[in-house]
Amino acid sequence: MLLISRLVLAAVFIVAGLGKLRSTALTARALVAFGVPPRLSRFGAPALPGVELAVATCLLVRSTAWWGALAAVLLLSVFSGAIAANLWRGRRPACSCFGQMRLAPVNGWTLLRNAVLVVPGLLIVTSGGDLSTSAAMA
């Protein structure tokens, strides 16, 4: 179960990172729409896909998977907080959650998707870092 969790999260972060990397201008616009100051979005647009790809890489390597899962949970929590804050204010900025692959306004389903994605991350984190084959089957 832990291996499947790692692979699912890694795939999500690879798709998201590569999608954002393809169009940093779109990512920068999305960050601004979410309330990030334009000056910071110019830095964040190329940094965010790099962080997402680093998280995916960590998840794929057993010795760093726990740290990758922790980072994934933290990133998804930050993303969810930004989405929730915007929805609370009555704003529905377009989310480039998977880069150019899917550009749509955020809604409650976006939060639900993130909550579902947090579950495998928490499963890995609560394993305590024991990702051995025997623990992965337990």
Side-chain angles (χ1 to χ4, degrees), residues 47-122:
L48 183 56
V51 168
E52 290 176 334
L53 292 170
V55 167
T57 302
C58 286
L59 285 162
L60 292 173
V61 178
R62 189 166 69 177
S63 64
T64 58
W66 188 88
W67 291 104
L70 181 62
V73 168
L74 292 174
L75 271 177
L76 288 165
S77 298
V78 168
F79 296 158
S80 295
I83 292 165
N86 275 280
L87 290 174
W88 181 261
R89 293 183 194 120
R91 300 178 66 234
R92 294 186 59 214
C95 176
S96 68
C97 301
F98 294 99
Q100 292 181 344
M101 202 166 132
R102 184 172 185 275
L103 184 62
V106 294
N107 55 39
W109 291 109
T110 313
L111 283 174
L112 180 60
R113 181 198 62 221
N114 282 3
V116 168
L117 289 172
V118 164
V119 171
L122 288 175

Side-chain angles (χ1 to χ4, degrees), residues 19-32 41 45-46 96 100:
K20 288 181 185 83
L21 199 56
R22 257 194 232 147
S23 179
T24 55
L26 180 65
T27 302
R29 283 195 301 271
L31 289 172
V32 170
S41 73
S96 68
Q100 292 181 344

